[in-house]
Amino acid sequence: ASSTAEENVTQVGGSSSSSSSAPGILPFDMCDEDVSPSDHYFVSQSSLGTRNLMMAVRREMLVLKKGLLEGAEGVPAPIIVRTFSSRSDLFRVMVVGPPDTPYANVPFFFDLALSDEYPREPPLAHFHAHYVGNERLNPNLYVDGK
């Protein structure tokens, strides 16, 4: 059975709590071999894994490991990124809405894919549209993920 976007983002840390920064949930991490990107929007896109792409992926991983903010007591990390050991060109990202905004503590989920032309070409992005009641979370984020 495939996992949902939310489960894949939190599965590595072993907790799905979004109300606090649980110990063990790192802002950036790689999912274990047993976590498949089967529900990732770009999983069917093949990756040739060129040398340049692998170098770019390693560079991005170092930036993400060092540059993402940690959560604080009672406050989730504002951005959580996961990649897959079987497909390091695919990323799943959760961005939490900042405090004191209409999006406070609302999680936004994205699937990202690095093409073989990365970094000359930008990553592909797909937004997982989640709704609060009958309203879209943001008028600029559409159901089809654009």
Side-chain angles (χ1 to χ4, degrees):
S2 70
S3 300
T4 64
E6 296 89 347
E7 290 169 338
N8 273 350
V9 167
T10 58
Q11 193 165 5
V12 172
S15 172
S16 60
S17 172
S18 61
S19 62
S20 67
S21 180
I25 297 182
L26 302 171
F28 176 80
D29 206 352
M30 183 176 289
C31 295
D32 295 330
E33 288 290 332
D34 60 336
V35 178
S36 167
S38 60
D39 68 336
H40 195 282
Y41 186 80
F42 299 106
V43 73
S44 62
Q45 173 183 312
S46 65
S47 172
L48 297 176
T50 64
R51 179 176 161 79
N52 287 341
L53 176 61
M54 291 302 108
M55 288 173 40
V57 166
R58 279 190 220 105
R59 220 175 19 252
E60 294 300 332
M61 286 181 182
L62 287 172
V63 168
L64 290 169
K65 283 180 184 177
K66 293 179 181 180
L68 291 175
L69 296 175
E70 304 256 343
E73 186 63 37
V75 179
I79 300 172
I80 296 175
V81 180
R82 296 293 180 260
T83 189
F84 303 89
S85 32
S86 60
R87 289 287 306 271
S88 57
D89 61 316
L90 300 179
F91 294 85
R92 175 145 296 147
V93 179
M94 180 181 75
V95 178
V96 178
D100 303 320
T101 69
Y103 306 109
N105 298 319
V106 174
F108 293 85
F109 293 92
F110 300 86
D111 281 349
L112 302 176
L114 304 180
S115 76
D116 292 333
E117 297 301 313
Y118 185 83
R120 289 186 304 262
E121 295 288 326
L124 300 171
H126 176 80
F127 169 67
H128 289 275
H130 295 280
Y131 294 87
V132 176
N134 292 328
E135 296 182 38
R136 283 201 333 234
L137 289 176
N138 185 303
N140 296 313
L141 301 171
Y142 299 92
V143 175
D144 63 3
K146 294 183 179 180

